[in-house]
Amino acid sequence: MSMQTYELVVTEDDSHAGLDVEVRGADDLIVASTRLDYEDYGEEALREDDYDGETWTAEATADVERVDVEVETDGSGFTVTLVGDDEPLERIYVSRQDLEIGG
């Protein structure tokens, strides 16, 4: 393996029902992804329907064989972690306030 740059992309979907998480590698190819539905966490969007979802990004360069995504919540928001060979490489934290969600 050799060093590669990965981009962690967290996007609120247009229906405001959850977050789409992607890890993009070389040539913008998706190498890992997951979906976080607010409903699974007892949450729902409080936004207006005409709001366009936001996107958060972070990059990490690493020499790893496997990449994955982990999502955790602490009740005040969501932490999305880009994991390489079982080690955290980069994190994005999105608060419930930023998302305008409630339960």
Side-chain angles (χ1 to χ4, degrees):
M1 293 294 307
S2 61
M3 296 295 275
Q4 184 167 330
T5 299
Y6 298 95
E7 183 179 27
L8 177 61
V9 181
V10 178
T11 306
E12 185 176 29
D13 68 17
D14 290 339
S15 65
H16 314 299
L19 299 174
D20 294 316
V21 181
E22 297 175 346
V23 177
R24 298 179 183 156
D27 299 326
D28 225 18
L29 293 176
I30 297 172
V31 295
S33 66
T34 192
R35 166 86 183 154
L36 181 152
D37 289 311
Y38 299 147
E39 188 176 272
D40 293 344
Y41 296 87
E43 305 282 356
E44 64 179 313
L46 305 174
R47 294 188 192 276
E48 298 298 319
D49 288 338
D50 61 352
Y51 173 80
D52 291 330
E54 289 190 46
T55 299
W56 297 265
T57 62
E59 283 190 358
T61 301
D63 181 4
V64 294
E65 292 183 24
R66 292 175 286 107
V67 293
D68 202 357
V69 175
E70 293 178 356
V71 178
E72 299 173 324
T73 184
D74 62 4
S76 64
F78 299 95
T79 301
V80 181
T81 305
L82 167 59
V83 178
D85 292 343
D86 300 321
E87 296 292 325
L89 299 176
E90 190 63 60
R91 288 188 173 92
I92 293 175
Y93 178 79
V94 184
S95 73
R96 292 175 75 230
Q97 184 175 0
D98 288 342
L99 295 170
E100 294 184 34
I101 59 175

